[in-house]
Amino acid sequence: MTRRMYPFYFIAIALAFYVVFTVVPSLMGIYLSFTDWNSYVKTIRFIGLDNYSTIFSSDENYMHGIRNTVVFTVATIVLKTIIGLLLALMVNKGIRLKSFHRVILFMPSVIPMLVVGIIFKSIYDPQYGLINETLRAVGLSSWTQHWLTDIQWAFKSVIAVDVWKGAGYIMVILLAGLQAISHSYYEAADIDGAGVWKKLRYITLPLLMPSLTVTTVLNLLYGLKIFDTVYVLTNGGPGYATDVVYTQVFSQFSLGSYGVGTALITVLFVIMTILGFFAIKLMSREEQG
Amino acid sequence: MKNKKLQAVIANTAIGVVSLIAIIPILLIVINAFKTGAESSSMGFALPKTFHFDNFSTVIEKGKLGHSFLNSFAYSGISALFCILFSSMAAFALSRNRSRLNRLLYFFLILGIALPLNYFTLIDVMKWTELMNTRAGIIVLYMVTQIPFSVFILFGFIGGVPKELDEAGVIDGCGPVRLYFSVIFPVLQPAAVTVFILAFLNTWNEFLLPLYYLNSAQKWPMTLAVYNFFGQFQQSWNLVSADIILTILPVLIVYLLGQRFIIAGMTSGSVKG
């Protein structure tokens, strides 16, 4: 009965689309990353590891992209998790206008990244931007910066935008986790005379681990694919200060050097397949637990 | 007791400040959308002297937003509908028949949540399937990119739908297709709505796929139209702001109406209460 009532073609349609438009291009990419494929050649030649040695050679700028992508991902995970957790703890209880705050705080995460980029381009403007204007108005003129064009600040500014956009999203997921924790744990802790810190350390955080795993995994997969915000805010500049893998991929695309570009994506593909595999294992284990 | 009160004050203040930070950039855009070009050049919080509603009509005309709006609506709506249909059928069969092969296929499918698209080779695939630079092509791509996450969420939900329903259906003489459409799919509605809203929002906000695979402005969705508009009118922040508002208004409306579902969707599959 099982096989007859749940026929394979139910799975096959989604699977076929997925294979044709995601898996096949990925596999082709692995092959083509070993060739000199670009938009000017007629016949594609096999060139072995040349594209990869270009990417990993210290004379080229590609390592900036990979390094920045990793730094961006780690930094945004840490910042968004800490802020999201604090917000979730606050919104969970003891706050007036709880649902109002919840709606407001989540709002940035539904706005397109591209649009967020444009908005912050205005906010970061060195002359008229909201940040520098405010600093001047309160007498802190010396703190004003060229947020997006100063090599010291550009990458931090991009990270800040992503934290602005994503912290509310993390808050919401962690909030659901918090609300699933039974009150009886805290009541028992009260009887034992545990303080706020001890309750957080020994009850809240351990029981919140499944949710924290999920937010970390989501942030990880999202961070490694970052493109829109960087593209609009800085397009990788100044120099290579904010270049990430996908902005480099896009420049390779515009230049027509498909071989190097596809090798870059393949590097990311390998990293993400490995991480994705562990992530799925983790998430499905948490789900059964 | 005093300690508790102080904590409450601090928490309330802190969350107020953070909420303000979250909303300020959005308010900034709203205020400047009504100013004149000169007033908006400093993108400040000063209220406009007179409200220029004509900015919006200017933007709709110059930015060809009418077209783009319909495009976005069609792309997101159609792709989300097909995504739900195919994802839920797959999730249903995968969840009910847990053979070793199906377990493998499930992992293989949801691995797509992590996989980065290869934009270079995908062009070849789009050319073979004759979907390059077509509306159908972008709809297919949007659908495909949403399938893995949708299967993941729906799989979790279907696990909680009692199998007795299937048995009742079989006793009443349903075949698989009728069982699915007249018994299972109606039960899935809450999850299906969530998945639809998520897929709709994600694709409405998407920007890269049309950038790579649609070369004619006629076919552009809102995001690409806004980006192009921003390139042309960088100096006129009043118009850019108006353009942005028209782009995110539908998203915000969908969000405010559907926030219960959206938030449930974000958390389902991740936290089992």
Side-chain angles (χ1 to χ4, degrees), chain A residues 100-113 115-123 130 161 164-166 168, chain B residues 17-35 43-48 56 205 237-238 240-253 255-256:
Chain A
F100 169 77
H101 285 301
R102 225 176 288 173
V103 172
I104 296 290
L105 290 170
F106 190 71
M107 211 181 260
S109 50
V110 293
I111 299 177
M113 275 200 268
V115 167
V116 169
I118 296 177
I119 298 176
F120 273 86
K121 196 139 183 153
S122 106
I123 291 179
L130 186 67
V161 172
W164 175 81
K165 183 173 161 59
Chain B
V17 170
V18 182
S19 280
L20 201 63
I21 294 175
I23 197 86
I24 275 183
I26 302 168
L27 283 180
L28 192 67
I29 290 296
V30 174
I31 290 173
N32 283 276
F34 294 101
K35 291 182 181 173
M43 269 304 260
F45 261 111
L47 288 177
F56 291 92
N205 291 351
W237 275 106
N238 57 334
V240 172
S241 300
D243 200 83
I244 286 179
I245 288 187
L246 291 174
T247 309
I248 62 175
L249 205 60
V251 185
L252 288 183
I253 292 172
Y255 163 59
L256 290 173

Side-chain angles (χ1 to χ4, degrees), chain A residues 60-125:
Chain A
E60 302 282 343
N61 51 51
Y62 300 106
M63 281 312 283
H64 289 275
I66 295 171
R67 198 179 314 124
N68 281 342
T69 303
V70 173
V71 173
F72 177 89
T73 307
V74 174
T76 52
I77 287 178
V78 171
L79 291 170
K80 282 193 271 191
T81 306
I82 293 174
I83 297 173
L85 179 62
L86 286 174
L87 291 175
L89 287 171
M90 288 194 283
V91 178
N92 193 30
K93 51 181 180 181
I95 297 287
R96 281 171 218 194
L97 306 169
K98 256 186 264 183
S99 29
F100 169 77
H101 285 301
R102 225 176 288 173
V103 172
I104 296 290
L105 290 170
F106 190 71
M107 211 181 260
S109 50
V110 293
I111 299 177
M113 275 200 268
L114 166 87
V115 167
V116 169
I118 296 177
I119 298 176
F120 273 86
K121 196 139 183 153
S122 106
I123 291 179
Y124 280 136
D125 187 278

Side-chain angles (χ1 to χ4, degrees), chain A residues 220-239:
Chain A
L220 184 72
L221 302 180
Y222 161 89
L224 294 174
K225 291 190 206 172
I226 189 72
F227 171 76
D228 310 30
T229 328
V230 180
Y231 181 62
V232 178
L233 282 174
T234 60
N235 198 12

